[in-house]
Amino acid sequence: MSFRVNTNVASMQSREYLRQTSEAQGRTINRVTSGLRIVASGDDAAGLAVANSFRSDQAVLAQGVRNANDGLSALQTIDGGINNIGRLLDRARTLATQSASGTFSGDRNVLNSEFSSVIGEIDRQAQSVGLSSGGSYAKSLSMFIGGGRTANGISSTANGSVGVDLSTSTVDARSLGLKGVQAQGVASTDIGTGSASTSVSAIVNDTTNRTSTAVSGFTDLYFRGSGFSDGDQIRVSVNLSGATDADNLVININAAIDSAGGVSTQAATAFKNAGIRALVVTDATGKKSLGFTSPSAAFQVAAGDRLSNALLGNVTSSVNPTGLTLTNTLTGGAATAAAATAFGAAGAGTVTVRFQGANLTSPVNIALTVAAGTTIDQALASLTSAVSSNSTLQAAGISVQTATAGSALVFANSRGERFEVLASGDVQNRLGLGSFRGSSGAGGTFDYSTITGAVGTFATAAQSLEFSIGGGPTQTVSVTPAAATLAGATAALNATFAATAALSAAGLKATNDGTVITIASTNGSNFRMTALGATDIFGFNSTGATSVADAAETQAGNTDVNFFLGGGAQQTSLLAFSAIRNGDDDQTITVSANDSSGAAQTLAVVLRNDSTVRNAGSVDEAIDAINTALQQSNNSTLQQIVAVKDKASPAGTEGIRFTSTLAAFRIGIGTNKSTTGIGNQGSVISAATVGTGSTAGISSQEAAERAVTSLGEAITKLGTAQAVVGRGQNQFTFAVNLAQSQLTNLAASESRVRDADLAEEAANLTKAGILLQAGISALAQANSAPQQVVSLLRG
């Protein structure tokens, strides 16, 4: 055995054990006093991370439960409001039933006054609970509750959210079918039995009106709206049998509407879904006019003949039942050739007559094959026959009105719509519509973006050339080569093109291959041309070609009044339109609206007339391009917007108006070089509500009967909306129950990881106390051991 003074190993060991015991006792005291097993991260770093995750999930779920309870409270408020609206509908239906009785002898205006106030109160209460159109809750409501897990491609956030879509559960009067979009005829014309001159009976029996109809005994109305516009407009052919008064007329019109909507086409289905109905509108003085209403769709109605125009109130005078004429005519710029005149060898080929406008969504070409011996009389007969047998032109109401040799051709449109008639390949102007060449002279394509001539004289003499860019007005230029060479003639053409604004904008450029000249558009513009006079300087001469004025259009008086847009819908101002002629004049139209959740929806439509697409050569083509793009967007919000054709005055130019039942929408109008296409370029046009639309009423027995039916349908719609609200309440309740269960289990899981086991810790505390006492005693003894060595030294 050895004894050391300098190093007291026993003391050192005692101190270390005492330190460990003291620390263990401290940790145990912390756990006992805090109740936590993990007081610091060093106690259990991995366990602390798990416990913190559980605690964070609990915080999310606790707030999520509050969110769901808030949503549940809102839905309960809405539910209570819907219950009250249901009672209002019951009262309105009671009033309507009372007024619908044939034995009612009281004042229906008194009933109607209360009825109107009930409808107004429905709107007020729907707005108060946020379920009016565009209301604060009329959208898809999503509540994040938490507790979700990522699975099958669904994120934890999406899995932890619940929602209810109230965007189609609005309960204001319009949504319930008690208010809607209404197009009304001229209110000042009384078609009721109280007016002997303009009553339905007088209008239907008027000889002029009856002879204007396409089919005897029927009159036509045309409807345009979202999904049934332009070339897909709906023709409603109304049987006049039994239409002796306004009420019977409405019955016949609605039967025709049902028949037109029953056809198996997308347009007919869209028309049917619009729910358009005819009705008699009675003003405060008792005058009756024809109206049309839809609960949910913006639309336009137009007369198709003089009889339907008169029924819409467009009569020649207040004492004359004859409808205003709808016939527009177009007269050729020159007389046709004299009788028996042959086309001759120079004119033999194909003459193309093109029709544009009049609701045609693309140009319609009539090709006339003429031989050298074909006479003008034969050509006119062929043209008349071809037009009358062309179903597209007939559907557009276009016909040949005058086709007599030696007189100017006259074309007509029977529905008051503007149109154009152009010709190509008639190099000797036998038809009086101009002597523009086809792509191969007397034949070939109607127009072209490049054309090659024959060998010319290339003399230093002036020759007049005529051009039409994109079907536009004739541009006449005189060109004189400075040098009697092919190069001189080419240079002279290019100098003229550069100096003429319309031709320069079309990108016309002349080139040569050493023998002949080619004229082409560098930007894809289509054009027609001809060379006048007997001298063929540039190689494009057509024997006998003469300058001819463009065809002149004569519009029927007051033809704009046969278009009626539904009031109560959003509309833009009337936007002017001019045809896009040049290949580099693309114009972008941007249509924007917010969906039911408030998210912006946008679509850009490009109007152009180049080698890629030619969709803006007329207002009808542009409207079709816009509506086609809207319908093909598969965007349910933007599909509710439709572009229609309209005019500001009887002799005005046709323009474009956008309309929809959306709460708001905007049209952004792009710019182009020639400022053609839609006007107001560089601006954003916001739509605004125009008119008040229709509101159910019970001021007459007939109106009350319709109101009873409408109110029955409204109660069904209200029930459907309330079912969605109830489903949302149940869904939120179930979500709260699950979240509470998750909260409880997460708290238990966290407790198992974070909380201390006090029984175990009490035992540990006792153990630590005993060890601490023993350690202190042992340390004292260890410290006293060196003193015992001193006794050896004394020995």
Side-chain angles (χ1 to χ4, degrees):
M1 169 180 266
S2 60
F3 294 93
R4 300 178 182 84
V5 175
N6 289 336
T7 303
N8 191 340
V9 175
S11 176
M12 293 174 64
Q13 290 174 337
S14 296
R15 286 199 307 271
E16 175 60 22
Y17 289 131
L18 186 61
R19 181 188 64 79
Q20 293 177 9
T21 300
S22 179
E23 288 179 355
Q25 184 184 45
R27 285 194 300 270
T28 302
I29 291 172
N30 284 340
R31 289 170 180 169
V32 170
T33 56
S34 67
L36 299 176
R37 183 181 70 86
I38 305 173
V39 178
S41 59
D43 294 339
D44 184 353
L48 181 63
V50 172
N52 285 344
S53 175
F54 288 154
R55 185 178 61 187
S56 178
D57 288 345
Q58 289 176 74
V60 170
L61 282 168
Q63 182 59 51
V65 168
R66 290 192 289 272
N67 291 347
N69 283 327
D70 290 344
L72 189 58
S73 297
L75 291 180
Q76 288 168 346
T77 302
I78 292 171
D79 193 30
I82 292 177
N83 284 333
N84 209 41
I85 290 173
R87 287 190 287 270
L88 288 169
L89 289 176
D90 292 342
R91 178 56 183 163
R93 203 173 192 194
T94 299
L95 293 168
T97 302
Q98 185 178 6
S99 181
S101 173
T103 60
F104 178 75
S105 58
D107 187 352
R108 284 190 170 88
N109 289 326
V110 175
L111 296 179
N112 191 56
S113 178
E114 182 182 351
F115 184 88
S116 298
S117 68
V118 169
I119 300 301
E121 181 63 12
I122 289 173
D123 278 336
R124 191 193 70 79
Q125 294 199 12
Q127 185 176 9
S128 296
V129 300
L131 271 189
S132 58
S133 298
S136 56
Y137 291 128
K139 57 186 178 182
S140 180
L141 302 175
S142 178
M143 297 289 177
F144 179 69
I145 297 177
R149 294 291 181 266
T150 300
N152 299 323
I154 301 175
S155 68
S156 59
T157 301
N159 191 256
S161 300
V162 294
V164 56
D165 187 0
L166 299 179
S167 59
T168 59
S169 299
T170 49
V171 293
D172 56 340
R174 181 184 294 275
S175 301
L176 296 177
L178 303 178
K179 285 185 176 180
V181 178
Q182 179 171 298
Q184 182 180 345
V186 180
S188 60
T189 301
D190 185 5
I191 64 170
T193 55
S195 172
S197 301
T198 58
S199 67
V200 169
S201 178
I203 290 171
V204 169
N205 291 308
D206 182 81
T207 302
T208 302
N209 287 340
R210 295 187 74 92
T211 56
S212 72
T213 60
V215 178
S216 179
F218 290 82
T219 187
D220 291 336
L221 294 164
Y222 289 86
F223 291 85
R224 302 182 182 108
S226 177
F228 54 98
S229 59
D230 323 311
D232 291 325
Q233 66 179 347
I234 298 297
R235 173 189 175 189
V236 173
S237 190
V238 182
N239 190 341
L240 298 174
S241 177
T244 55
D245 56 30
D247 294 324
N248 287 323
L249 173 67
V250 164
I251 292 173
N252 287 9
I253 293 175
N254 286 330
I257 287 174
D258 291 338
S259 177
V263 180
S264 298
T265 65
Q266 288 184 338
T269 301
F271 176 63
K272 179 180 179 180
N273 292 338
I276 297 172
R277 307 305 292 171
L279 74 161
V280 178
V281 181
T282 305
D283 66 13
T285 65
K287 288 184 177 180
K288 294 185 176 182
S289 57
L290 183 61
F292 298 88
T293 183
S294 168
S296 59
F299 66 95
Q300 182 188 58
V301 59
D305 49 56
R306 296 183 73 165
L307 198 155
S308 59
N309 208 21
L311 291 173
L312 288 170
N314 298 321
V315 293
T316 53
S317 74
S318 60
V319 295
N320 190 334
T322 302
L324 290 171
T325 180
L326 296 177
T327 302
N328 282 347
T329 59
L330 194 75
T331 304
T336 60
T341 301
F343 276 75
T350 301
V351 176
T352 302
V353 180
R354 170 169 288 185
F355 296 85
Q356 292 184 158
N359 209 52
L360 296 172
T361 58
S362 61
V364 174
N365 293 333
I366 298 295
L368 303 175
T369 302
V370 295
T374 301
T375 65
I376 183 62
D377 310 81
Q378 293 170 325
L380 291 174
S382 296
L383 175 62
T384 302
S385 175
V387 170
S388 63
S389 61
N390 186 288
S391 59
T392 303
L393 294 179
Q394 290 306 295
I398 294 175
S399 62
V400 179
Q401 190 176 80
T402 301
T404 304
S407 300
L409 272 167
V410 179
F411 302 88
N413 174 263
S414 62
R415 295 214 296 275
E417 298 188 79
R418 304 192 67 172
F419 67 109
E420 295 178 292
V421 181
L422 311 169
S424 176
D426 185 14
V427 294
Q428 298 184 91
N429 192 35
R430 294 289 191 255
L431 297 178
L433 299 175
S435 53
F436 287 112
R437 299 164 52 97
S439 60
S440 59
T445 60
F446 175 83
D447 51 9
Y448 26 81
S449 58
T450 180
I451 187 170
T452 300
V455 177
T457 65
F458 310 128
T460 55
Q463 184 170 27
S464 292
L465 303 178
E466 288 187 340
F467 292 87
S468 170
I469 308 300
T474 300
Q475 304 287 329
T476 303
V477 294
S478 179
V479 187
T480 305
T485 62
L486 175 61
T490 304
L493 285 170
N494 285 328
T496 300
F497 295 157
T500 307
L503 305 184
S504 175
L508 294 191
K509 183 177 181 181
T511 58
N512 68 75
D513 62 358
T515 304
V516 295
I517 294 175
T518 296
I519 298 175
S521 168
T522 58
N523 60 27
S525 300
N526 269 1
F527 63 93
R528 293 171 296 154
M529 71 159 295
T530 190
L532 306 179
T535 305
D536 189 11
I537 296 176
F538 299 97
F540 296 97
N541 195 50
S542 301
T543 303
T546 57
S547 180
V548 178
D550 294 323
E553 183 182 23
T554 301
Q555 294 192 74
N558 295 319
T559 56
D560 66 319
V561 296
N562 71 313
F563 295 114
F564 294 90
L565 267 172
Q570 292 274 319
Q571 298 177 19
T572 63
S573 57
L574 180 63
L575 305 175
F577 179 86
S578 58
I580 294 178
R581 310 290 188 188
N582 300 323
D584 59 354
D585 276 342
D586 296 1
Q587 182 185 33
T588 300
I589 307 301
T590 305
V591 183
S592 304
N594 292 340
D595 63 17
S596 57
S597 67
Q601 305 295 318
T602 303
L603 176 69
V605 183
V606 179
L607 302 180
R608 61 202 306 172
N609 194 345
D610 56 26
S611 55
T612 302
V613 174
R614 303 192 187 277
N615 63 9
S618 69
V619 64
D620 302 277
E621 294 175 24
I623 288 174
D624 179 66
I626 293 169
N627 287 334
T628 298
L630 288 170
Q631 291 303 307
Q632 292 181 351
S633 69
N634 292 324
N635 185 303
S636 59
T637 299
L638 299 180
Q639 285 175 333
Q640 297 178 57
I641 301 172
V642 63
V644 296
K645 184 165 59 176
D646 205 353
K647 291 198 298 184
S649 64
T653 302
E654 293 171 335
I656 299 175
R657 197 185 300 272
F658 293 82
T659 183
S660 176
T661 52
L662 291 172
F665 68 91
R666 299 159 300 282
I667 306 297
I669 305 173
T671 61
N672 61 16
K673 293 181 180 178
S674 303
T675 63
T676 54
I678 298 180
N680 296 83
Q681 293 191 359
S683 63
V684 176
I685 307 298
S686 296
T689 301
V690 177
T692 57
S694 63
T695 302
I698 57 173
S699 58
S700 66
Q701 181 180 350
E702 296 80 11
E705 290 172 349
R706 290 195 299 270
V708 170
T709 301
S710 297
L711 286 163
E713 295 171 351
I715 290 171
T716 300
K717 293 176 181 177
L718 186 72
T720 301
Q722 193 163 19
V724 175
V725 173
R727 185 172 68 244
Q729 291 183 63
N730 290 336
Q731 189 174 0
F732 284 5
T733 299
F734 294 142
V736 168
N737 292 341
L738 175 61
Q740 292 286 14
S741 174
Q742 289 177 304
L743 268 173
T744 301
N745 290 316
L746 282 170
S749 298
E750 183 193 6
S751 176
R752 280 190 289 269
V753 176
R754 190 189 297 274
D755 292 348
D757 183 345
L758 291 181
E760 180 182 351
E761 296 305 328
N764 289 337
L765 184 61
T766 301
K767 174 184 175 182
I770 295 171
L771 288 175
L772 185 63
Q773 293 177 18
I776 292 173
S777 176
L779 178 61
Q781 293 181 24
N783 286 337
S784 64
Q787 296 295 332
Q788 297 176 13
V789 177
V790 176
S791 62
L792 293 176
L793 296 175
R794 291 177 188 160

